[in-house]
Amino acid sequence: MRLDKIPQLKYIDSNNFFLLAGPCAIESEEMAMRIAEKVVEITDKLEIPYVFKGSFKKANRSRIDSFTGIGDEKALKILRKVSETFKIPTITDIHEVSDAAMAAEYVDILQIPAFLVRQTDLVVAAAKTGKTINLKKGQFMSPESMKHAVTKVTDCHNEQVMITDRGTMFGYQDMIVDFRGIPTMREFAPTVLDVTHSLQQPNQSSGVTGGRPEMIETIARAGVVNNVDGIFIETHFDPSTAKSDGANMLDLQYLEALLTRLVKIRKTINEF
């Protein structure tokens, strides 16, 4: 994958990791614009290549009464407005074959959720759009097995593919990150560490996923030290009121300090 193939991605020669960051789901135009504006301000200061992340809908919910979105087209139009306003690329996840062409009209990167990364028809439909594809490693998959998911994309004559590790199931209600998987997956494609989803505590009896946001910096530091190409962080100005995945999000007020420290770590690692 070439970063210069992603429209409007800045600072690709900065030797920094790139950042995928934003809310879990698009809740409103106001919230998306507010988060994007702040993250753009931070990443411009630190010269971090930045892609705004937001799900236009959430399909893999535990409970039927969970928030799933504000409407597909409405949310996708907000993602387009974020891109046009701040001159940055955007990414969203898709869940059905029919989502691929629709979402590709609005965003620059299509993301395949971890639960769906073995779904051949979905991966192929995304690849055939010609957009950059982000394959999230299944919580149930080995790093080595992601080679086959990458091959599904490249066999569609699309070389714009990356892998994101979001942790591996540890028992029924916890996740762990096996950092041995990073160099393995980097042999197949640029590799991102999804810090916040790696700290989820799924399958709670309440039907609402828990999390350990106090460990965000620990996981992020370890990823940067181990040469991940990108960092994925879901962030919100008030995680306690977020309509999806608030339990493991980073409060937006802490993002600048965290990224500042991570950039310093990356600068040091680049010397080795």
Side-chain angles (χ1 to χ4, degrees), residues 21-202:
C24 178
I26 301 297
E27 300 172 11
S28 69
E29 180 178 314
E30 186 275 335
M31 71 86 72
M33 298 294 281
R34 179 176 171 186
I35 293 171
E37 181 177 27
K38 181 60 178 177
V39 183
V40 167
E41 174 190 324
I42 295 167
T43 53
D44 279 348
K45 184 185 300 183
L46 297 174
E47 296 189 343
I48 297 173
Y50 172 49
V51 180
F52 178 85
K53 183 269 169 185
S55 297
F56 76 93
K57 68 177 176 183
K58 302 302 296 184
N60 54 335
R61 303 291 87 186
S62 295
R63 290 171 25 177
I64 196 168
D65 60 346
S66 294
F67 174 79
T68 58
I70 59 174
D72 295 355
E73 187 175 12
K74 183 177 181 180
L76 287 167
K77 285 182 176 179
I78 290 170
L79 284 163
R80 175 186 281 169
K81 183 169 183 178
V82 167
S83 179
E84 292 174 346
T85 301
F86 299 105
K87 303 297 187 290
I88 54 174
T90 55
I91 179 173
T92 199
D93 39 353
I94 61 173
H95 302 86
E96 302 176 34
V97 169
S98 59
D99 289 344
M102 176 178 65
E105 294 293 320
Y106 296 90
V107 302
D108 304 291
I109 304 174
L110 298 179
Q111 179 169 285
I112 306 298
F115 283 126
L116 300 175
V117 75
R118 285 171 57 96
Q119 297 296 104
T120 299
D121 288 351
L122 181 62
V123 173
V124 168
K128 287 183 175 179
T129 66
K131 297 289 184 175
T132 298
I133 307 301
N134 183 27
L135 301 168
K136 299 199 81 174
K137 184 183 81 66
Q139 302 93 320
F140 45 86
M141 293 174 66
S142 69
E144 291 80 5
S145 65
M146 286 303 294
K147 176 181 180 179
H148 306 297
V150 170
T151 300
K152 289 177 184 178
V153 177
T154 57
D155 279 354
C156 294
H157 308 291
N158 185 344
E159 299 294 325
Q160 284 295 109
V161 57
M162 56 182 161
I163 302 169
T164 292
D165 191 350
R166 50 83 29 88
T168 300
M169 286 301 300
F170 184 66
Y172 287 114
Q173 295 177 319
D174 206 359
M175 311 285 294
I176 59 169
V177 178
D178 182 354
F179 290 96
R180 296 174 300 176
I182 291 174
T184 297
M185 291 186 288
R186 289 186 79 216
E187 293 179 7
F188 313 139
T191 298
V192 179
L193 178 60
D194 182 345
V195 176
T196 47
H197 283 105
S198 295
L199 293 167
Q200 281 186 332
Q201 293 178 315

Side-chain angles (χ1 to χ4, degrees), residues 22 35 195-196 213-214 216-217 233-239 245-259:
I35 293 171
V195 176
T196 47
E214 73 277 7
I216 287 173
E217 182 155 353
I233 295 176
E234 287 189 340
T235 185
H236 195 286
F237 44 80
D238 186 2
D245 282 5
N248 51 267
M249 276 191 190
L250 178 69
D251 192 312
L252 188 58
Q253 67 177 315
Y254 303 127
L255 182 63
E256 181 170 359
L258 172 62
L259 291 177

Side-chain angles (χ1 to χ4, degrees), residues 208-270:
V208 178
T209 297
R212 299 198 58 192
E214 73 277 7
M215 297 294 292
I216 287 173
E217 182 155 353
T218 298
I219 299 296
R221 282 175 178 243
V224 172
V225 166
N226 284 286
N227 291 309
V228 292
D229 299 286
I231 293 288
F232 184 118
I233 295 176
E234 287 189 340
T235 185
H236 195 286
F237 44 80
D238 186 2
S240 66
T241 64
K243 295 182 178 180
S244 180
D245 282 5
N248 51 267
M249 276 191 190
L250 178 69
D251 192 312
L252 188 58
Q253 67 177 315
Y254 303 127
L255 182 63
E256 181 170 359
L258 172 62
L259 291 177
T260 298
R261 290 190 287 272
L262 295 180
V263 166
K264 289 180 179 178
I265 293 170
R266 174 49 58 93
K267 183 177 181 180
T268 300
I269 293 300
N270 286 342

